[in-house]
Structures are given as structure tokens and as C-alpha cells.
């Protein structure tokens, strides 16, 4: 089935490079102030296609004759309405979305004197605004007496943004004055005001207390769009001033997003969702009673696609089945268009499904599925190509000569391009044969000329090829496993017997890598053998001889073990100079036995040691080219013997002959304790120490032979005070020398100071940058700073920490959760611990980047110029907004392209002009970081015709099929290139 689809694509690539329009940009809604009608209103549509599309426009369903319309300015009466663009070329036509053009305006109030409103003190009153005619959203305010003194809204006074009226629940004497209604158009920014209305108090008494009367109420049923902000108003007159409260009819508490404004007179629900629907109640209450207003909120949503069609290529007489689905509230209805017109009745259309049982050439064109409810309409377009042609073997002929080994299965591919599918007939020579494309267990009798005939109702075609059956190839002598010594040379044989008509080539691999001809140790002989000269240890491993013929590939394997021996013993060792603690040695080298000597080891023994022991020397490491060394750290007046050993890459060789016995000199009065007397009677250590700067030493003796630790305690010592210390030994024979003097410090205490000026900022969804000022002074040593951070004070396990050196005053905390509040603090530390922490600050990480990668990526390559297009990514409410896109190669890819960023959903790249393959990723960029990468876009730098073919073939394929198709093209081109090179080489010969 996949190959049938591929054949259609190949036919399409060979016979048609045309494709219908598809939208790059569709027109958007416009709301234009009437004051701006002298200017232009631009509605844009842009489509791609081949041939390039042309365009027509309609207004309220009537075609616009752009050639006859010579007006230089907009007309408020003529130009308002719904516009739709049609893009068309020779393949077909598609319609754009409907875009509305509206004019915003605000007329002036009628000029007339308004009657005064007379009320008793304590009575409620409503002052009517009487809004003039307008178009566009309006906002209302009231001026008290004179501008700019506006009525301040509180629990007693309210300006409705639905009616524009001013409501005073209980009039007071301070309310007496003139009131003017001010109306502003949010689109035009124009402002008009009414004539003033006087509010005066009656003199016939004060209004008594009465229960609330709700004057501002929301409708019984309110429909709201998904994601919109819903505003409900409720205000009551009453004495005393009523208190307004809200609740849901189902008793469920309001979510945190719901806001109450203007003393609860306004309930605001942002980002309206299905869960927000249902009954709402407004309760107005004072001590005289209460009143309730109710209403219901309903949810509606414009259609959105959840299933769409794809461009499709089918053969004549095949069946078409397309299905599209959209969600929305109320449920959308469906209709279908062909080339911008409603479908004819003979095509079966039912609830988003379009099916044609037997396709004809007339069915080809551009189709659109239309989903619509009373809140919106959406369009989705796909192209149907119907193919009809006689059989054609162009590009898929039988091989002129096909060689096959006897006993194998041969496939003779008879795959013509034919629409509808062709019937197949085979002939061997002039005789018809009953066979499929496969010949199993072929023998010499199967050789000959084969012809495939293909026929459909549009015509017939044929292709012929010759089959040559060859004898099997055998490796008569192959390499065998062997062991060899470093420095020798060998020949690994690889001899074959084969059919004389076959071309044979040999190659060798060593440990999985092809052996190059220019390697100094290897020689590839024409007969197939491999010579290895002057073998080294690294030549050990697996060798494979590969024999390639026209019909098969064989191989033979051998494992080569390369051996070397440790060095022979060095010659006679002489002791040339001796002191009380050193001896200078010299020796002659032995044979290296095939592996160079890397270094020498010196051993010694005395009457007091058990066996031979390693000694310290100068130089410390004696390399293989050095034949003298000085042995150090010997004891005075002791008889020593020495021997030398050599090491190479194989191991340590046998030791040299033993040197003559040699006694070290006497060391005089400062005689160190010999090793044989260290465990004698009264053995111990002498510890000498003094404070830094003191001249006299304090001496302490320890008599325990095994003691190697001493603690000095003195409460007057300051923390981290320096001391000079040296250690000596003694026994009943006398006192040995002291060790070299070293400086040590008493224990320190943790820093007492705190860093200052700590601040932090969120870098991304997973990183926070923390900064602070270095400690200006503290008596204690500061090794660095510790940053501690945690997510929740009630969860200690969420705590984390990091340390930086003393000269660093910033750190980046990473690995954090997105859109999460973290608490941070900083302190100084040393070896004693951490100092006091600063008061914690808190920072919230940025929202994570969109989880949705860029989808539906399309690309076009002309020469080395690559154009990329993809669908814009829309961030969810819990994600960071998309700031742009990054186009780059994935890490460690074979061929890298320069990384670029763009704020649009398209990009232009220039690739190096070569025949390499490129893999490109696209990611979203946001303040939360980079989003996930798109599926890899595989770009092949091929010829212009092949690129055009690949682009056309990708129509209607799955991603896996696209990659498979592209790999097939690349492989074909590489094989063709190889064949051309081989042919050129043969011509030169």
C-alpha cells in the first residue's frame, strides 16, 4: 500500500509541478474610527501556489469589481460589512475566513435643558444619561457641578457601564448640585457630555427607612465566549444604604480569579470557562429587609478544528473518503465547497464526511470543509489530484543485465506508473510465462531475456531485461587466527574462486575500521592478501577480509594476537658514591624485547629488612633513557645491597644482578635513630612548637612508641592562630634530628558577619540569579558564601543549597520548578561552619516555555537558499508567551548550520553548496527558556528537480513516510553518483 502511494507521488513529480492555493495570510477584522475614513483600510490575503494565485474579493456575498471602484476614501454606508477573499489558479480556488469592517463613532447629545430632579433626603434616585447613537465600546462617568470633579463611586453611588446611568441609593444634602453625563468611545477616543441635570432636595420632610430596591440588574440569561471577561452589575436603592453580596445558585464558592469591585456592585469573571456557567444571585440587604436578583450565565465557543483532511493524490476510478471534525458550542454544522462553490449533489456529503465512490478527472480541484455555528465559521482546504495515464516505465525499467547467484531468489520489478492500475503479462524470450516478480532458487536454465507488458484502458507499455545466472563465489584460502611477536611481518591471505563474468573487489577491516591504503604498516595486495609489516602491540585484534562481487558479498575473519616480553634484566649495578643518607648507582640496559623500556625501578635490602623494598630516588621517576640515579633517605652506618628492574608496555622484567654490599657513612653527633633500634627501649617522640613570632620553643615528649598524635590545649589561644611545629624521635641510644618546621593553625570559628544588599531575579523557568555584596570586614576568615533556597517553610525536604568561593558575589540556582515561589538567603562560611543568615527574600520563577513544539513545518530549497514556514505556537495561560523562534542544528549533528532567531513563524537560511544532508530543529523562545524542538527537518542539498520532486511528494504523507521517501531519494542520488564515477574510471582505462 505504501509503495502504491509512493508510485503516485513519483508520477506526480514527473508529470505535474502544479499545486493549488494554500493560505499564508488571511484578512483580519477591522474597526475604524469615522474620523479616519479619509485614510485607507487594508484587508490582506496572501496564498502560495503554482502557478502563483490570483485573487477576488466579495462584500456581504457580492463580488467587488475593483476596476470600477475609483473612490479615494472610505464610505461609512457602502463599505461596512463582511469581506471574503478568494485565491485561485489553474488547479482550483479556495475562500478565506470572513473579515468584518466596522466604523466606530459617537454622536453628540441633543442640546436641550434637562428638568431638575427633586427628591427627599434619604430617598434613592436614578439620573439618566440618555446615551446618543454610537458604534464601538463606550465608557461612562459623571461630573459633579463642574469639570474635573467626577462622582466618586462608593457603596452609596454607582455609575453603570451597561446603561450609563448614575444611581444614588440614599440621597444626602451634600449630593445637591448639577450632574453631567460624560461618554467616551474606546475606539475613537472621542468624548461627549450631556446637558446638566440639577438635583435638589424637597422641603416636605425626610424619607423614612425602607427595604432595598434593586435598580441595576443583569439579564436573566447571559451568553459569554470562552476565555472572555464577564462583568455582572447589581445595585440597589434603600435606606439605610444596602449591602451587596453575591453567590452561586449551586452553592459552590467563587474561585480566586473572581473579583468584586465598587463595593461589590460589580462581579468580574476573567477567562470565562465551562465551569463558570450556571445561576448567579445578587443579594441587596439592609435592616429593613432584603431583595434578590438572579440570572444564568451560558457558555459558547466558536468552532475549532479537531480533525482535518490532507492533500490527496488518487488514480481515476479510485474511492475518495475525507472527514473533518470541529468542536464548538453549540455543536457546529458542516458544509463543503469545491473551488469556492457549494458541492454538487452527486457527491456524497454527510456531517463532515465527503466521499466519492468512483473518481473522475472532473473531481480534481480544491475542496474546503466549512464548520459553522452562530458564533463563527471556519474553513479548511485540501487539494485532490486525480491521475489518469497509460503505463509508463520511465525511471523504473528492468535492468539491462541482472546478475544473480545460482540458488538465490531474484526479484524482477515490474512497476509501471499507470492510472488506473495496469494488468501485467511476463514473457521469457517470445513465450508467455506464469510468474510473479520473484524467481526462487534460480539455476542456469533460468537465464535469458525477460519482458514485462503492462496494460490499462489508456494504453500499453513494456520493459525488457536479461538475467545472467552465475556460479557461487568461494573463499578458497582465508586468514586464520595466529600469534605473533612485536616487530615481525606477516601476510594474511584472502584467495577466492569465482565465475569469470563477475567483477570482484577486496577490502580489509581492522577492529571495525576500513584499512586505508596509505597506512605505513599495511599493504593491500591486488590478489586480495594483506601484508602487515613491523607489527606493533596495537595491531592486535580482529581482521576481516570482505569480498564483493556483482551478486554477493563474502567475508572471512581472523584474530591476531601480538605478543611482547618484559625487558631482560639490566646488566651489572655499581655503587659509585655513598654518603650517610645517599648512594649513587649506575647500570647498563638489557634488551627491551620488542617494547621500549618506559622506566626503571630500584630496590634495596639490609640485614634489618624482610626481603627487597622499593626506595626513593632522584630523579623520582627514572625514565627508560636514564642509566644513573641517586638513592636517598638511607640510614647512616647501615650495610645496603641494590638491584635494578626495567618496565615496558608488557610488564616488569627480571631484576639485575645484586650490587656489592655497601655501608653508608656515620652521621656524627646528629645521629638519627636507625630503623633496627626504633622499637628499642625508651623509644618516643619529641614535639616542639611556638607561637608565630615567638623566639623560644615549647618541648613535649611522648613515651608511647605507637603515638602519632598530640593535642595542645590553651583557652587563651585566639581562633586561627599560626604556630611553628617540628617533631623528633629519641630512644635509649640518643635523640634523632627534627623534621622540617611546618606552620599550622588553631581551629577557627564561623564568620560573625552577614553579606549585605542581597537581591535576586528569575532568569528562566528553572533558574534564579542571586547577587549580594561581599563582606566588608569580619575578624574571622571567609572561605566563601552559601546560598540556601527552599520552596515551602512547612516542607524542610524542599531545601537546597550551593556554595561559591569568597571572591564571587553572585550565583545561579538551577534545576527549579517553573512558575514557583522560592525563598533564598545567603551567609558566609569557613571550615568551622556557616555564619548568620540574612532575612529570606522570595522570587518566583518564570512560567515554563510552551510545551507544544512548532508543527506542520514546510520547507523549500532553491539552490542553497532554504525557506522555512511553520504554524505559530500559542502559549497556554500557565506558560510563558512566545517571544520568537530559534532555528538550529541539534547538538553533535554531523553538519551544523548557523543558529538564527526570528520573531515570525518563518525563516530564511543559506546553506553551503555541497551534497551533504542537514538536520534542523525549531524551538520556541520565551522568558521561561527554550521550548521543545520540532520533529527534525531533514534537508538534502540535491538538484533543483529532485528538491521540487521531494516537496511535491510530501503532500499527504505521514512524517515517517516523508523521511523514508527522502532517504530513498538521497540513496538513489548517491548510487547514481557512484555509478557515474565507476563508468568514468572504466572509460579512462
Amino acid at each position: 500500500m505504501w509503495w502504491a502511494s509512493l508510485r503516485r507521488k513519483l508520477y506526480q513529480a514527473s508529470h505535474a509541478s502544479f499545486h493549488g492555493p494554500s493560505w499564508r495570510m488571511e484578512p483580519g477584522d477591522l474597526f475604524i474610527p469615522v474620523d479616519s475614513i479619509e485614510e485607507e483600510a487594508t484587508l490582506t490575503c496572501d496564498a502560495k501556489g503554482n502557478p502563483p494565485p490570483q485573487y477576488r474579493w466579495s462584500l456581504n456575498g457580492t463580488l467587488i469589481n475593483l476596476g470600477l471602484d475609483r473612490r479615494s476614501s472610505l464610505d461609512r454606508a457602502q463599505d461596512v460589512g463582511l469581506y471574503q477573499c478568494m485565491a485561485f489558479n489553474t488547479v482550483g480556488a479556495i475562500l478565506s475566513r470572513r473579515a468584518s469592517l466596522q466604523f466606530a463613532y459617537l454622536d453628540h447629545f441633543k442640546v436641550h435643558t434637562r428638568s431638575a430632579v427633586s427628591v427627599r433626603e434619604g430617598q434613592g434616585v436614578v439620573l439618566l444619561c440618555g446615551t446618543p447613537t454610537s458604534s464601538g465600546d463606550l465608557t461612562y462617568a459623571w461630573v459633579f457641578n463642574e469639570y474635573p470633579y467626577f462622582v466618586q463611586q462608593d457603596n452609596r453611588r454607582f455609575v453603570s457601564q451597561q446603561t450609563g446611568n448614575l444611581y444614588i441609593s440614599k440621597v444626602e444634602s451634600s449630593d445637591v448640585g448639577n450632574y453631567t453625563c460624560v461618554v467616551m468611545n474606546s475606539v475613537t477616543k472621542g468624548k461627549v457630555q450631556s446637558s446638566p441635570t440639577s438635583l435638589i432636595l424637597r422641603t416636605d420632610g425626610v424619607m423614612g427607612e425602607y427595604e432595598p430596591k434593586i435598580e441595576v440588574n443583569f439579564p436573566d440569561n447571559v451568553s459569554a465566549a470562552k476565555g472572555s471577561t464577564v462583568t455582572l452589575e447589581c445595585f440597589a436603592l434603600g435606606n439605610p444604604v444596602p449591602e451587596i453580596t453575591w453567590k452561586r445558585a449551586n452553592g459552590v464558592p467563587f474561585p480566586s480569579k473572581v473579583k468584586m469591585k465598587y463595593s461589590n456592585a460589580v462581579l468580574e469573571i476573567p477567562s470565562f470557562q465551562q465551569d463558570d456557567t450556571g445561576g448567579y444571585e445578587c443579594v441587596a440587604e439592609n435592616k429593613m429587609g432584603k431583595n434578590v436578583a438572579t440570572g444564568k450565565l451560558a457558555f459558547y465557543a466558536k468552532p475549532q478544528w479537531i480533525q482535518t483532511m490532507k492533500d490527496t493524490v488518487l488514480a481515476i476510478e479510485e474511492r475518495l473518503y475525507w472527514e473533518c471534525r470541529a468542536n464548538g458550542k453549540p455543536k457546529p454544522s458542516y458544509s463543503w465547497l469545491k473551488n469556492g462553490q457549494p458541492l454538487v449533489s452527486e457527491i456524497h456529503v454527510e456531517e463532515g464526511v465527503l466521499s466519492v465512490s468512483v473518481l473522475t478527472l472532473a473531481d480534481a480541484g480544491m475542496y474546503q470543509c466549512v464548520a459553522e455555528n452562530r458564533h463563527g465559521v471556519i474553513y479548511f482546504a485540501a487539494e485532490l489530484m486525480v491521475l489518469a495515464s497509460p503505463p509508463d516505465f520511465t525511471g523504473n525499467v528492468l535492468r539491462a543485465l541482472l546478475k544473480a547467484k545460482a540458488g538465490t531468489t531474484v526479484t524482477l520489478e515490474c512497476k509501471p506508473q499507470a492510472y488506473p492500475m495496469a494488468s501485467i503479462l511476463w514473457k521469457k524470450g517470445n513465450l508467455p510465462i506464469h510468474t510473479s516478480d520473484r524467481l526462487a532458487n534460480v539455476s542456469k536454465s533460468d537465464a535469458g531475456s525477460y519482458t514485462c507488458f503492462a496494460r490499462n484502458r489508456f494504453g500499453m507499455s513494456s520493459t525488457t531485461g536479461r538475467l545472467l545466472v552465475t556460479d557461487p563465489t568461494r573463499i578458497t584460502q582465508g586468514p586464520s587466527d595466529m600469534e605473533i611477536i612485536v616487530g615481525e611481518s606477516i601476510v594474511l591471505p584472502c584467495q577466492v574462486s569465482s565465475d569469470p563474468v563477475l567483477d570482484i573487489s577486496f577490502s580489509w577491516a581492522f577492529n571495525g575500521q576500513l584499512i586505508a591504503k596509505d597506512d605505513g604498516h599495511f599493504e593491500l595486495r591486488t590478489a586480495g592478501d594483506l601484508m602487515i609489516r613491523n607489527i606493533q602491540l596495537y595491531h592486535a585484534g580482529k581482521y576481516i577480509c570482505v569480498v564483493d562481487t556483482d551478486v554477493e558479498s563474502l567475508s572471512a575473519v581472523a584474530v591476531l594476537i601480538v605478543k611482547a616480553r618484559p625487558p631482560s634484566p639490566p646488566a651489572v649495578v655499581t655503587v659509585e658514591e655513598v654518603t650517610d643518607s645517599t648512594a649513587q648507582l649506575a647500570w647498563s640496559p638489557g634488551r627491551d624485547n620488542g617494547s621500549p623500556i618506559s622506566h626503571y625501578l630500584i630496590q634495596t635490602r639490609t640485614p634489618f629488612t624482610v626481603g627487597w623494598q622499593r626506595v626513593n630516588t632522584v630523579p623520582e621517576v627514572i625514565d627508560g633513557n636514564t642509566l644513573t640515579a641517586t638513592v636517598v633517605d638511607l640510614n647512616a652506618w647501615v650495610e645496603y645491597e641494590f638491584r635494578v628492574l626495567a618496565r615496558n608496555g608488557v610488564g616488569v622484567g627480571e631484576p639485575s644482578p645484586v650490587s656489592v654490599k655497601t655501608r653508608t657513612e656515620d652521621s656524627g653527633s646528629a645521629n638519627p635513630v636507625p630503623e633496627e633500634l626504633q622499637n628499642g627501649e625508651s623509644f618516643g617522640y619529641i614535639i616542639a612548637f611556638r607561637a608565630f613570632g615567638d623566639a623560644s620553643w615549647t618541648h613535649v615528649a611522648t613515651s608511647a612508641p605507637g603515638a602519632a598524635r598530640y593535642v595542645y590545649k590553651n583557652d587563651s589561644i585566639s581562633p586561627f592562630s599560626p604556630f611553628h611545629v617540628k617533631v623528633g624521635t629519641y630512644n635509649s641510644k640518643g635523640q634523632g634530628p627534627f623534621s622540617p618546621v611546618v606552620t599550622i593553625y588553631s581551629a577557627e570559628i564561623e564568620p560573625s558577619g552577614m553579606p549585605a544588599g542581597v537581591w535576586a531575579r528569575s532568569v528562566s523557568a528553572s533558574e534564579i540569579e542571586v547577587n549580594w555584596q561581599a563582606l566588608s570586614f569580619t575578624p574571622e576568615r571567609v572561605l566563601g558564601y552559601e546560598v540556601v533556597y527552599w520552596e515551602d517553610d512547612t516542607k524542610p525536604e524542599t531545601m537546597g543549597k550551593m556554595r561559591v568561593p569568597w571572591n564571587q558575589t553572585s550565583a545561579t540556582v538551577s534545576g527549579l520548578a517553573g512558575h514557583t515561589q522560592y525563598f533564598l538567603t545567603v551567609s558566609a562560611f569557613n571550615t568551622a561552619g556557616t555564619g548568620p543568615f540574612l532575612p529570606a527574600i522570595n522570587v518566583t520563577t518564570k512560567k515554563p516555555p510552551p510545551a507544544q513544539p512548532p508543527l506542520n513545518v514546510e520547507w523549500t530549497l532553491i539552490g542553497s537558499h532554504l525557506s522555512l514556514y511553520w504554524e505559530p505556537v500559542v502559549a497556554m495561560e500557565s506558560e510563558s508567551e512566545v517571544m520568537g523562534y530559534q532555528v538550529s542544528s541539534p547538538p553533535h549533528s554531523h553538519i551544523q548550520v548557523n543558529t538564527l532567531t526570528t520573531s515570525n513563524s518563518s525563516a530564511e537560511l543559506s546553506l553551503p553548496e555541497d551534497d551533504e544532508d542537514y538536520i534542523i530543529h525549531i524551538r520556541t523562545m520565551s522568558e521561561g527558556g527554550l521550548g521543545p524542538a520540532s520533529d527534525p527537518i531533514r534537508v538534502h542539498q540535491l538538484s533543483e528537480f529532485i528538491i521540487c520532486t521531494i516537496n511535491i511528494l510530501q503532500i499527504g504523507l505521514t512524517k515517517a513516510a516523508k523521511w523514508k521517501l527522502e532517504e530513498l531519494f538521497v540513496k538513489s542520488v548517491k548510487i547514481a553518483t557512484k555509478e557515474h564515477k565507476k563508468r568514468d574510471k572504466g572509460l579512462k582505462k
Side-chain angles (χ1 to χ4, degrees), residues 57 122 124 256 284 379 401 438 450 474 519 579 607 704 822 896 961 967 977:
W57 285 89
S256 58
Y379 299 79
L401 177 61
R438 294 170 61 84
Y450 288 81
R474 292 184 301 105
D519 190 307
T579 69
Y822 285 89
Q896 295 280 341
E967 290 172 0
T977 304

Side-chain angles (χ1 to χ4, degrees), residues 482-492 520-523 530-540 543 560-565 592-595:
M482 62 176 62
E483 295 183 358
I484 191 168
I485 302 299
V486 168
E488 297 181 355
S489 300
I490 60 167
V491 174
L492 298 179
H521 290 274
F522 296 115
E523 180 185 338
L530 173 67
M531 169 171 272
I532 313 175
R533 293 187 175 91
N534 188 22
I535 288 181
Q536 302 300 308
L537 289 174
Y538 61 81
H539 287 129
Y543 289 80
L560 185 62
I561 299 174
V562 181
K563 288 190 173 182
R565 296 187 297 274
D592 63 11
N593 293 331
S595 179

Side-chain angles (χ1 to χ4, degrees), residues 924-936:
T924 56
M925 298 188 306
S926 68
E927 64 176 11
L930 291 176
S934 64
D935 289 334

Side-chain angles (χ1 to χ4, degrees), residues 657-680:
V658 179
S659 70
V660 297
K661 293 181 178 180
T662 303
R663 183 183 296 275
T664 53
E665 295 181 353
D666 191 339
S667 64
S669 59
N671 198 11
V673 179
E675 184 179 1
E676 66 272 18
L677 299 180
Q678 284 183 2
N679 293 321

Side-chain angles (χ1 to χ4, degrees), residues 411-492:
T411 299
L412 301 172
E413 284 196 349
C414 183
K415 298 186 182 297
Q417 304 298 327
Y419 307 100
M421 186 179 296
S423 59
I424 301 298
L425 172 66
W426 280 97
K427 284 186 178 182
K428 181 183 179 187
N430 293 322
L431 299 176
I433 57 173
H434 298 285
T435 181
S436 65
D437 291 353
R438 294 170 61 84
L439 299 174
N441 194 23
V442 296
S443 64
K444 295 281 188 177
S445 63
D446 292 313
S449 178
Y450 288 81
T451 303
C452 171
F453 297 88
R455 181 193 301 273
N456 68 8
R457 66 189 179 92
F458 294 108
M460 186 185 74
S461 184
S462 65
T463 179
T464 301
R466 188 163 68 91
L467 174 63
L468 178 63
V469 180
T470 65
D471 294 326
T473 302
R474 292 184 301 105
I475 296 179
T476 56
Q477 183 182 8
S480 56
D481 297 346
M482 62 176 62
E483 295 183 358
I484 191 168
I485 302 299
V486 168
E488 297 181 355
S489 300
I490 60 167
V491 174
L492 298 179

Side-chain angles (χ1 to χ4, degrees), residues 40-51:
E40 291 183 348
T42 302
L43 294 167
T44 304
C45 64
D46 179 35
K48 60 181 179 179
N50 191 15

